[in-house]
Amino acid sequence: MITRRSFIKACCAAAAASSAVPGMAYFNPLGAGRNISNDVIVYLFLRGGIDGLHLVVPSSGPERVSYDQIRHPGVLIPETDLRALDAEGRWGLHPRAGGLRGDGVGSAPKWLQKLWVQNKLAIIQGCGMPTALSRSHFDAQAWMDLGTPGSKNTSTGWITRYLSAATGLPQAELSSVFGFASTLPLSLLGNNEAFTVSRAEEFKVDGFHWSWDDSDPDINNHQGAHTRLANIWAQSDGLLGSKGKTTAQALAQMRDIPFSEYLSEGGAEYPDNGLGIQMQNLAQLIKQDTGLVAATLDYGGWDTHEGQGKPQPGNPGHYDYYGNQLEGLSRAVEAFYTDLALSAQGNIMNRVSVVMLSEFGRKVRGNQSNGTDHGYGNVAMVVGGSVNGGQLYGNFPGLDKASLFENQDLGVTTDYRRILAEALVKRMNFSAGNLDQVFPGIGSYEPLGVFQQ
Amino acid sequence: MDAQLGGMPVGLRGEEDQIFVDDFVDNASDPAQFAWRILERATYGAQPSDVDAFLALGSSDDECLAAWLDQQLSWSSVNDAALDSRLSAANYSTLEKSVSELWSDHVRGSLSNWPLRYYPTAETDAARWMRAVYSNRQLYEMMVEFWHDHFNVAGWEFSIAPVFVQHDRDAIRPEALGNFRTMLESVATSTAMLYYLDNASNRSGGYNENWARELMELHTLGVDVYYPGTTPGSVPIGDDGLAIGYSDADVYEVARCFTGWTVRDGHWQFPDTPDYDTGEFFYYSNWHEGGSKFVLGQWLAPGGQQQARLAMDLLARHAATARHLATKLCRRFISDDPPQSLIDSTAEVWRSAWQAPDQIAQVMRHLLTSDEFKQGQGEKVRRPFELVASAMRKLDADIEPRHYDDFWRPYNEFFNRFSLTGHASFRWPAPNGYPDTKDRWTSASVMGQTWRILSLLPEMKKSDDGPFLMKVQDLTLAAFPNAGNRTAVNLVDFWIGRLLNGQIHTSRRQEYIDFLRQNAAPDQALDISAGFPNGNWSSGDLSEHYTPVRLRAMVSLILVSPEFYQR
């Protein structure tokens, strides 16, 4: 019988070996061939309210006319500075989703635009919370994370409720869910099993002085202090005792995974930002096949009240705060995609879906500080190998005066929970009849068609 | 004798795992055990001097406890000069500011300097650590923590951080052992709370029920007596003439009572003068909805600002409020599932004293002199703040915490790591406050990150070549002036005595001894001084291999033990 510990160790060794030697078959101690046995849903939250109208911009037709009329020049992107999105030429993409500052809009698509062209990125317009309105970051984020628009006093997050209602989940070697955050994400509220780590490398007891922080068998079996944790908790009872043992085991397992030595596959290049590191950690954990089914990540910095910035594609020296943010996101997500899709273990990305949401869009008009204030409707994005990408979903609510919400904001036509519900049903084998347990009051199951069955 | 400390016996060791025995026997024959049990649960951690002081207060357990409570419940008479001088040396800049000063300095004046906006919360947090570690008013500080959880606001939120000092200083602290009704009104008028639960924008025709709902659900009556529904008068009337609970109709009516309780924040509907942009609470009669309100089966006559005060009177004297608060206090100090009989008797004290200026002190005296408290131990799991604060007290910490510290100073790392435990001060986002049951504080993430910071604690230094903040070395040397006595067994027993009053499972004690001695004999004296602070390389005899560091690591390993987790 193989123990969990040795299993993980074997996987690590194999992962390192297979990455270091391209083309080498992955060694799977549990069976022939290697298939990540379950799907993974990744909930990536763009904290602060991304200006979706700065990401997907009308490039022709009546919406462009309204856009030109209403948008403050400080945040207005000319048609010629957009990358092409749909075949009809009605919509353009912020150029930094597909290229460097100095790249022209016609240069070869990188990152998110590349995924769009490959039909692996779907964009949903007019997304948000049609049943509840808040322009407070705190309330709107809490409502979305908890999965209960209008109420922030729910005691469990939507992922917690999904995990407790799901049947047939794989046995988790570490945890079914990872929250990449410093504190327990609200989407995981009420989940006692979740691993919450802001960086996987940090999930270890390492405060001891270096000389006793690690073990060195070459020096008379020098025993690092951390090796004693399991023994210290071995004789303990009750809830505290059992959790202490779990913790000691988790720490040992995570310590065994060489997060800092990870080699990505397929030429994937993770950006050197917080999200890039976390997505790399996540890809590594998924490749370990530990029974992880859900993960949450955050990418903040979208609260662009001032100096939002405008792209000047081709000019490598221009100021573009939003563009830099977007490039950071685009690089991380695309690296994650490539790493998993081109893995020696096969196309793992076929079993992984990344849903990108934000708490609200921003006021269409823009303000006097070349920024945008809090608004309502927004875009959402989905990336995955089993996503019907390269398409826009949802009804665009309209930028003309009559269509604007409260005279200022983009409206909401698609409940964000419909995207998550479809992912759960089509990708996670969750029963459509039980969706109410995850999203109380969501009503009937109405898939948008974003995901493949 | 130098392995013993302040008369405290090293105590039970190894015979049985006493911590995990369900019915803890009242060890009345050992006064030091009794003192330890009381102090471990009513303070942030028992130091040897605390035990000595407790024992000097009388000639029996009950006498000592009664006298100790007399002191602690009259908290403002307890000399706290040592803390005060440390706080004044730390020179925090915001803790004394009035709300209008906070407003002008940190709201209106912070646009070009983002951390400035968060200084009031950051310094309140820093002071909280200092008070937990150094204050002689330990029970009072425990109560302040309780009330912060009870009347939680998200202290690091953009609109709340600049005025958070006022919430802590003026709303929570004055009545932490005083009168609940008085505290309720100071919380209702706290600028932070007015923003957090949106009553600042609650006005006639533009109601916001957030505050009113949480006031009843969380702060007073409790959700156990919530009767969903919008029909007025649908909740049965109890013996006292009040409805026994509340419905949505009551929420709406109480929200209407509170219309016009707002903040001078320059709202465009206020007169355009500087007087209306000070950040202070005020009652704006233009926003108040006149007319009678029907609350808990009672008609409240029109009375402007007075009407909400009448509503708070009803809530404060209500039996459900007494039960709700008694339950929470028993849960904090006794166990996650306290006995109903104790809840009932505590609620009775609460209710009969509801108008007394020392209501909460009376309640606490009842609770802390109960048999359940006197005889219990080990029922509660310490939350991360309690774990670290207790460690600091017992390691004789010399701290002066500061957020936004220079990167080479220790506190940036300290606060970053501590926030990963999920228990960083004033960061709980929901109005129900940090949880108080062990199931919420024992996830792998919380425990792993707490062990991580506990492993760092004895290594923290004031600066790279400065002194250690925890006095592991000094305390050990003082306890063993004779170097020949510094054997692994003696050192471990000394620290088990100091940190756990000697109560440890025999297998764990052996782990500590084996770790400390490595390949040396258990009775061989260890050189914990050579090469201080870190020691010297010695690949052959590991008793000399970085031994001072290993002593600190051994102390950390006691801090992450099951026994240290329980109070």
Side-chain angles (χ1 to χ4, degrees):
Chain A
M1 163 137 191
I2 193 157
T3 65
R4 287 168 63 159
R5 188 91 192 272
S6 60
F7 162 73
I8 299 252
K9 277 194 154 167
C11 291
C12 296
S18 70
S19 313
V21 186
M24 186 176 169
Y26 192 89
F27 167 66
N28 178 3
L30 294 184
R34 182 70 182 173
N35 289 304
I36 301 302
S37 51
N38 56 274
D39 260 56
V40 179
I41 182 164
V42 180
Y43 176 70
L44 169 51
F45 208 100
L46 309 177
R47 307 267 161 201
I50 186 176
D51 186 3
L53 196 60
H54 217 50
L55 177 65
V56 178
V57 187
S59 51
S60 71
E63 299 298 357
R64 181 72 205 189
V65 174
S66 301
Y67 176 85
D68 283 330
Q69 283 171 354
I70 191 171
R71 191 84 165 168
H72 188 278
V75 286
L76 184 149
I77 307 178
E79 300 94 313
T80 49
D81 287 347
L82 295 166
R83 286 174 176 262
L85 201 59
D86 59 328
E88 297 81 32
R90 290 176 56 218
W91 298 96
L93 190 64
H94 191 292
R96 298 294 291 286
L100 293 160
R101 250 191 312 198
D103 292 341
V105 292
S107 65
K110 294 183 168 85
W111 318 319
L112 280 179
Q113 193 194 9
K114 186 173 100 183
L115 295 176
W116 173 267
V117 171
Q118 294 174 351
N119 296 333
K120 302 304 179 192
L121 164 66
I123 297 175
I124 300 92
Q125 293 179 294
C127 187
M129 293 181 281
T131 56
L133 167 69
S134 174
R135 294 189 182 90
S136 146
H137 294 295
F138 177 68
D139 285 358
Q141 289 183 19
W143 293 352
M144 290 182 76
D145 291 337
L146 295 170
T148 52
S151 170
K152 66 181 173 192
N153 302 336
T154 316
S155 60
T156 53
W158 77 266
I159 296 178
T160 300
R161 292 193 301 277
Y162 155 63
L163 290 172
S164 62
T167 53
L169 290 179
Q171 178 67 40
E173 296 290 344
L174 297 169
S175 171
S176 295
V177 56
F178 269 72
F180 286 91
S182 52
T183 52
L184 187 72
L186 284 184
S187 56
L188 299 178
L189 198 66
N191 185 319
N192 291 324
E193 308 305 324
F195 276 22
T196 304
V197 294
S198 59
R199 286 177 64 163
E201 279 174 73
E202 286 178 347
F203 188 72
K204 61 174 161 192
V205 176
D206 62 353
F208 309 114
H209 187 270
W210 61 266
S211 55
W212 287 97
D213 183 28
D214 232 323
S215 301
D216 189 348
D218 292 339
I219 312 175
N220 279 334
N221 290 314
H222 172 297
Q223 294 283 314
H226 70 90
T227 64
R228 301 288 161 144
L229 294 171
N231 287 349
I232 286 171
W233 283 83
Q235 298 294 323
S236 57
D237 298 325
L239 178 79
L240 176 65
S242 87
K243 293 303 186 95
K245 287 173 204 166
T246 305
T247 303
Q249 186 179 34
L251 286 163
Q253 288 171 332
M254 291 284 282
R255 198 179 189 104
D256 279 351
I257 301 176
F259 288 103
S260 57
E261 294 161 29
Y262 178 72
L263 296 173
S264 60
E265 297 180 271
E269 289 179 36
Y270 288 95
D272 187 21
N273 60 26
L275 181 66
I277 292 161
Q278 292 175 341
M279 295 207 86
Q280 177 184 307
N281 291 162
L282 177 58
Q284 187 171 4
L285 288 166
I286 291 172
K287 288 182 187 178
Q288 304 279 143
D289 195 14
T290 60
L292 167 73
V293 297
T296 73
L297 302 104
D298 294 324
Y299 186 60
W302 298 103
D303 195 18
T304 49
H305 289 279
E306 288 181 48
Q308 179 164 313
K310 271 170 50 156
Q312 297 167 31
N315 170 7
H318 70 281
Y319 172 86
D320 187 4
Y321 172 83
Y322 182 98
N324 296 343
Q325 280 275 117
L326 181 58
E327 182 181 319
L329 172 70
S330 304
R331 280 175 176 267
V333 172
E334 190 267 342
F336 179 76
Y337 183 95
T338 302
D339 189 9
L340 290 176
L342 300 182
S343 169
Q345 300 176 49
N347 187 342
I348 301 171
M349 204 62 209
N350 284 339
R351 284 185 164 277
V352 179
S353 305
V354 183
V355 181
M356 285 172 265
L357 298 166
S358 192
E359 66 264 37
F360 43 60
R362 306 190 74 86
K363 213 177 270 186
V364 169
R365 204 163 272 120
N367 62 29
Q368 300 300 314
S369 315
N370 296 325
T372 48
D373 297 319
H374 300 182
Y376 191 35
N378 208 350
V379 297
M381 292 185 282
V382 181
V383 163
S386 300
V387 165
N388 295 312
Q391 297 178 52
L392 292 165
Y393 291 85
N395 297 318
F396 186 72
L399 292 174
D400 56 296
K401 248 193 166 140
S403 302
L404 288 180
F405 177 78
E406 293 186 349
N407 240 335
Q408 57 174 35
D409 297 336
L410 200 63
V412 173
T413 49
T414 296
D415 190 327
Y416 80 99
R417 294 175 300 175
R418 284 178 65 193
I419 303 169
L420 297 172
E422 185 182 342
L424 295 186
V425 171
K426 287 194 184 162
R427 298 309 317 165
M428 312 301 289
N429 278 324
F430 191 78
S431 163
N434 291 339
L435 281 172
D436 205 56
Q437 295 177 30
V438 182
F439 298 116
I442 190 177
S444 58
Y445 172 56
E446 293 173 351
L448 292 158
V450 171
F451 295 93
Q452 296 161 10
Q453 189 78 45
Chain B
M1 275 308 285
D2 64 359
Q4 300 215 350
L5 195 74
M8 233 193 320
V10 171
L12 304 163
R13 209 191 267 153
E15 300 309 318
E16 61 172 330
D17 188 5
Q18 189 145 21
I19 280 285
F20 293 103
V21 175
D22 280 338
D23 45 346
F24 207 91
V25 186
D26 182 11
N27 196 348
S29 62
D30 186 344
Q33 282 281 13
F34 180 79
W36 179 266
R37 275 216 305 282
I38 298 299
L39 294 170
E40 280 285 273
R41 289 172 302 146
T43 77
Y44 283 107
Q47 304 170 119
S49 56
D50 302 329
V51 175
D52 290 344
F54 186 95
L55 291 173
L57 288 173
S59 54
S60 71
D61 289 349
D62 284 344
E63 230 178 272
C64 291
L65 176 57
W68 187 79
L69 286 173
D70 285 343
Q71 291 178 353
Q72 290 288 313
L73 295 175
S74 312
W75 59 273
S76 58
S77 311
V78 175
N79 183 319
D80 230 356
L83 168 71
D84 292 341
S85 74
R86 279 181 179 271
L87 283 174
S88 88
N91 204 20
Y92 298 130
S93 62
T94 62
L95 301 182
E96 308 292 325
K97 288 183 182 178
S98 70
V99 69
S100 57
E101 288 169 332
L102 292 168
W103 190 259
S104 65
D105 294 352
H106 300 279
V107 177
R108 295 299 177 223
S110 71
L111 292 176
S112 58
N113 181 0
W114 71 265
L116 188 60
R117 199 171 172 109
Y118 297 87
Y119 272 27
T121 301
E123 294 191 340
T124 305
D125 180 29
R128 179 189 182 213
W129 282 100
M130 299 272 269
R131 287 165 172 149
V133 175
Y134 299 118
S135 178
N136 292 323
R137 302 164 179 176
Q138 283 283 304
L139 179 57
Y140 173 71
E141 294 300 336
M142 295 275 284
M143 294 303 293
V144 168
E145 178 178 8
F146 174 85
W147 291 116
H148 265 297
D149 283 344
H150 187 71
F151 291 113
N152 187 58
V153 303
W156 296 85
E157 215 257 344
F158 184 78
S159 59
I160 292 172
V163 292
F164 187 76
V165 159
Q166 181 218 13
H167 183 74
D168 173 71
R169 182 192 58 206
D170 302 340
I172 299 294
R173 297 182 69 84
E175 298 293 325
L177 280 168
N179 178 272
F180 180 75
R181 171 64 185 83
T182 307
M183 180 162 26
L184 201 53
E185 186 148 343
S186 54
V187 168
T189 56
S190 150
T191 300
M193 184 61 90
L194 286 160
Y195 280 129
Y196 180 61
L197 291 178
D198 301 322
N199 205 70
S201 60
N202 180 26
R203 55 183 182 269
S204 178
Y207 309 110
N208 192 310
E209 65 174 58
N210 204 6
W211 158 253
R213 186 174 289 281
E214 304 309 355
L215 173 65
M216 287 192 270
E217 177 179 323
L218 298 173
H219 300 153
T220 59
L221 303 175
V223 76
D224 287 352
V225 293
Y226 170 49
Y227 293 77
T230 57
T231 311
S234 58
V235 181
I237 303 295
D239 295 341
D240 56 0
L242 298 178
I244 60 171
Y246 68 100
S247 69
D248 295 294
D250 291 294
V251 172
Y252 302 150
E253 285 290 270
V254 171
R256 290 184 172 97
C257 290
F258 275 97
T259 46
W261 289 53
T262 188
V263 175
R264 295 176 188 268
D265 60 2
H267 191 281
W268 63 272
Q269 290 184 11
F270 301 160
D272 188 14
T273 67
D275 286 359
Y276 287 89
D277 193 20
T278 64
E280 294 164 299
F281 162 79
F282 84 121
Y283 170 74
Y284 190 45
S285 57
N286 288 1
W287 280 6
H288 186 69
E289 176 164 307
S292 301
K293 315 286 188 326
F294 192 62
V295 175
L296 298 173
Q298 302 268 309
W299 281 104
L300 303 181
Q305 186 176 7
Q306 197 57 25
Q307 199 171 41
R309 294 191 173 122
L310 294 175
M312 286 190 281
D313 287 346
L314 298 184
L315 295 169
R317 67 171 236 232
H318 201 283
T321 300
R323 279 199 305 275
H324 183 209
L325 269 298
T327 305
K328 287 188 74 170
L329 285 166
C330 289
R331 185 177 297 134
R332 181 88 280 258
F333 287 92
I334 306 279
S335 71
D336 289 2
D337 295 304
Q340 190 61 45
S341 56
L342 182 63
I343 294 173
D344 291 344
S345 64
T346 306
E348 197 40 53
V349 177
W350 176 281
R351 201 178 171 190
S352 61
W354 84 275
Q355 289 171 301
D358 64 342
Q359 177 198 15
I360 298 166
Q362 288 186 38
V363 168
M364 291 311 295
R365 183 184 294 276
H366 173 82
L367 209 165
L368 298 181
T369 52
S370 70
D371 286 347
E372 289 85 348
F373 182 75
K374 287 193 289 185
Q375 291 168 15
Q377 187 187 356
E379 293 288 327
K380 293 294 288 184
V381 164
R382 282 197 170 102
R383 306 189 288 188
F385 182 86
E386 300 159 41
L387 282 164
V388 175
S390 174
M392 286 176 163
R393 285 175 65 74
K394 293 168 185 171
L395 299 179
D396 236 354
D398 179 17
I399 58 162
E400 191 178 280
R402 200 172 294 280
H403 287 267
Y404 312 114
D405 200 4
D406 296 334
F407 70 92
W408 62 85
R409 305 260 315 264
Y411 296 107
N412 264 341
E413 185 178 29
F414 174 78
F415 283 120
N416 285 340
R417 287 194 176 208
F418 189 72
S419 77
L420 298 178
T421 68
H423 200 207
S425 307
F426 318 126
R427 286 193 186 273
W428 185 257
N432 56 353
Y434 283 103
D436 192 20
T437 50
K438 56 172 83 75
D439 57 322
R440 303 299 297 277
W441 294 107
T442 49
S443 73
S445 172
V446 172
M447 290 184 78
Q449 293 297 344
T450 307
W451 299 357
R452 186 167 182 246
I453 194 165
L454 288 172
S455 74
L456 176 74
L457 219 51
E459 290 298 328
M460 284 173 60
K461 291 179 184 175
K462 219 164 216 165
S463 59
D464 264 357
D465 50 2
F468 287 102
L469 299 183
M470 309 297 139
K471 304 302 177 190
V472 173
Q473 184 79 5
D474 303 347
L475 290 167
T476 309
L477 293 180
F480 297 96
N482 178 353
N485 289 338
R486 295 171 193 160
T487 66
V489 170
N490 282 346
L491 297 181
V492 166
D493 284 345
F494 165 71
W495 279 104
I496 288 174
R498 188 170 174 100
L499 296 171
L500 303 171
N501 197 33
Q503 300 170 68
I504 187 82
H505 193 281
T506 179
S507 74
R508 270 185 280 286
R509 175 172 172 267
Q510 196 59 49
E511 283 295 328
Y512 299 135
I513 292 169
D514 289 345
F515 173 76
L516 190 57
R517 71 184 179 87
Q518 294 283 324
N519 63 359
D523 56 355
Q524 178 185 338
L526 306 179
D527 188 347
I528 60 169
S529 301
F532 186 81
N534 296 330
N536 299 316
W537 172 279
S538 167
S539 62
D541 182 353
L542 291 192
S543 74
E544 296 169 12
H545 181 69
Y546 294 112
T547 313
V549 183
R550 196 162 70 247
L551 173 67
R552 296 197 293 274
M554 188 277 291
V555 168
S556 292
L557 289 174
I558 300 178
L559 299 178
V560 303
S561 68
E563 284 83 358
F564 196 76
Y565 255 78
Q566 293 169 299
R567 66 168 171 91

